[in-house]
Amino acid sequence: EADIYQTPRYLVIGTGKKITLECSQTMGHDKMYWYQQDPGMELHLIHYSYGVNSTEKGDLSSESTVSRIRTEHFPLTLESARPSHTSQYLCASKGGYYEQFFGPGTRLTVL
Amino acid sequence: DQQVKQNSPSLSVQEGRISILNCDYTNSMFDYFLWYKKYPAEGPTFLISISSIKDKNEDGRFTVFLNKSAKHLSLHIVPSQPGDSAVYFCAASAGGTYKYIFGTGTRLKVLA
């Protein structure tokens, strides 16, 4: 059973606000990922981490930033939210096998 | 350019029949393929995977077939059940990069 958590599940916020989307996993996985998904579209990788203090940008350019200070925690921050950031954000982690485990997602709406 | 394509956005199947979901890829470096299922308002859950050294992998009602020469894989669900109604994504990775490229998904509806 995968244990990966995301908060909040839903967020409606005004333009210009700073937000942090939380992601935590209790499986001790080294690798963690953030994806962005719009309805009917593929999951786009925006950030990934191979371990503590290791973060890389993904294939889709994103104005968000991430940090990985602890193995279990991989928060994503938007300094100034805009309507174009409206999307679903999915966090995932991976251990020694190929499959990734996903959290439930955060649906962000920026007004 | 999309490296992983799921050309059927939706599929409807009668309960008890076979569901076949298709996925095509363009990058010959991909060597591992996965299928995920996603319900609304939830994250994707892993279903089944296949390595490029195999052409078939089976797990219960789910079987994945890989045709490397055609760069095509398919997921067969037999028999289909109403609880299988969800969006199915295929994903691919290359050479242990730990990065995955996802398709756009196929929405499966199993009719009771």
Side-chain angles (χ1 to χ4, degrees), chain A residues 9-10 31 33 35 37 40-43 45 48 50 59 88 90 94 97-100 102-105, chain B residues 2 31-32 34 36 38 41-46 49 89 93 96-105:
Chain A
R9 293 291 311 277
Y10 303 92
K31 298 168 189 65
Y33 308 79
Y35 291 89
Q37 190 207 6
M41 301 296 289
E42 62 265 51
L43 281 69
L45 180 68
Y48 63 100
Y50 286 145
D59 301 322
Q88 184 179 40
L90 292 160
K94 189 180 101 60
Y97 297 98
Y98 274 91
E99 58 265 31
Q100 295 176 314
F102 282 84
Chain B
Q2 238 183 319
D31 59 0
Y32 205 85
L34 306 93
Y36 285 85
K38 186 179 185 297
E42 294 183 14
T45 54
F46 170 73
S49 62
F89 291 94
S93 73
T97 61
Y98 310 121
K99 290 169 62 176
Y100 298 85
I101 308 297
F102 282 80
T104 53

Side-chain angles (χ1 to χ4, degrees), chain A residues 22-103:
Chain A
E22 300 287 349
C23 176
S24 295
Q25 50 97 3
T26 58
M27 297 169 283
H29 288 168
D30 286 331
K31 298 168 189 65
M32 295 189 74
Y33 308 79
W34 276 104
Y35 291 89
Q36 185 175 339
Q37 190 207 6
D38 294 317
M41 301 296 289
E42 62 265 51
L43 281 69
H44 286 291
L45 180 68
I46 52 175
H47 297 283
Y48 63 100
S49 169
Y50 286 145
V52 171
N53 295 324
S54 153
T55 62
E56 301 281 345
K57 286 194 177 291
D59 301 322
L60 180 69
S61 175
S62 173
E63 292 163 347
S64 58
T65 59
V66 292
S67 62
R68 189 91 183 274
I69 298 171
R70 303 197 315 267
T71 297
E72 62 271 21
H73 194 214
F74 191 39
L76 180 145
T77 298
L78 273 167
E79 291 293 332
S80 179
R82 294 207 301 268
S84 60
H85 296 138
T86 294
S87 189
Q88 184 179 40
Y89 292 83
L90 292 160
C91 179
S93 72
K94 189 180 101 60
Y97 297 98
Y98 274 91
E99 58 265 31
Q100 295 176 314
F101 295 94
F102 282 84

Side-chain angles (χ1 to χ4, degrees), chain B residues 57-77:
Chain B
N57 189 26
E58 197 169 350
D59 184 1
R61 296 185 298 115
F62 302 94
T63 303
V64 56
F65 295 92
L66 176 63
N67 182 334
K68 289 187 290 292
S69 61
K71 294 192 179 68
H72 176 84
L73 63 154
S74 61
L75 174 68
H76 293 210
I77 307 173

Side-chain angles (χ1 to χ4, degrees), chain B:
Chain B
D1 183 35
Q2 238 183 319
Q3 297 185 65
V4 177
K5 299 178 185 179
Q6 293 178 258
N7 292 317
S8 299
S10 63
L11 174 69
S12 291
V13 172
Q14 284 295 131
E15 181 180 7
R17 305 297 287 267
I18 184 170
S19 295
I20 300 176
L21 296 100
N22 294 305
C23 181
D24 297 293
Y25 61 97
T26 57
N27 188 343
S28 57
M29 299 300 291
F30 287 148
D31 59 0
Y32 205 85
F33 305 88
L34 306 93
W35 283 94
Y36 285 85
K37 178 168 74 171
K38 186 179 185 297
Y39 293 117
E42 294 183 14
T45 54
F46 170 73
L47 263 182
I48 192 169
S49 62
I50 189 165
S51 162
S52 60
I53 62 172
K54 294 186 173 182
D55 53 19
K56 177 183 174 181
N57 189 26
E58 197 169 350
D59 184 1
R61 296 185 298 115
F62 302 94
T63 303
V64 56
F65 295 92
L66 176 63
N67 182 334
K68 289 187 290 292
S69 61
K71 294 192 179 68
H72 176 84
L73 63 154
S74 61
L75 174 68
H76 293 210
I77 307 173
V78 183
S80 302
Q81 300 172 352
D84 296 329
S85 296
V87 178
Y88 289 78
F89 291 94
C90 66
S93 73
T97 61
Y98 310 121
K99 290 169 62 176
Y100 298 85
I101 308 297
F102 282 80
T104 53
T106 296
R107 182 176 302 277
L108 173 66
K109 188 171 184 179
V110 180
L111 306 168

